[in-house]
Amino acid sequence: MRRRIRSDRGQVALEYIGFIPILLFVALCAIQLGWVAYVHEQADTAARTAARVEAQHRGRGEAAGVAAVRQGIGAEVRVSRTADAVTAVATIEIASIIPGLDPAPARATAVMPNDDPEVTGP
């Protein structure tokens, strides 16, 4: 007769269950990092589009900047003009999927030369 003194049955399952929260947290951090990069890229696109359109067509830049990004992302675009240049600033809030994390909003600025025919002539 063989006697078992200790049994290791179930040890791997317990170790796996203990490691799952760490894996989930790392996966959420990777997703959050990707989302932050995506939102910053969208803010840059909105600012460049707004400045380019406003430089050629007065009063249309803000709407073009908002339309250039994904619809539900909530971009806010502000455009200012001088005789020489058009400056557009796009701001987008970054949603967090990790509890307790409050990332700063993505903000991008673009400056284009003012090509408006009313200012520069034909």
Side-chain angles (χ1 to χ4, degrees):
M1 291 183 150
R2 296 174 117 176
R3 291 179 54 192
R4 286 185 140 170
I5 297 173
R6 286 181 79 187
S7 174
D8 288 339
R9 292 182 63 178
Q11 177 183 353
V12 172
L14 286 175
E15 288 176 359
Y16 186 67
I17 289 172
F19 195 65
I20 284 179
I22 295 169
L23 288 175
L24 288 174
F25 181 71
V26 169
L28 285 176
C29 287
I31 292 169
Q32 183 70 53
L33 182 62
W35 180 249
V36 168
Y38 175 73
V39 170
H40 277 278
E41 199 60 37
Q42 289 287 293
D44 189 50
T45 299
R48 281 185 289 115
T49 301
R52 184 175 58 246
V53 170
E54 185 70 25
Q56 295 174 351
H57 308 284
R58 182 183 295 264
R60 296 183 188 171
E62 290 181 6
V66 172
V69 297
R70 198 176 80 145
Q71 192 173 23
I73 206 165
E76 180 182 319
V77 180
R78 297 284 177 242
V79 176
S80 61
R81 303 175 64 97
T82 64
D84 297 331
V86 174
T87 304
V89 178
T91 305
I92 302 174
E93 293 292 327
I94 300 175
S96 176
I97 61 170
I98 299 174
L101 182 67
D102 188 26
R107 191 176 324 274
T109 303
V111 179
M112 297 278 179
N114 194 351
D115 291 337
D116 188 357
E118 294 177 13
V119 176
T120 59

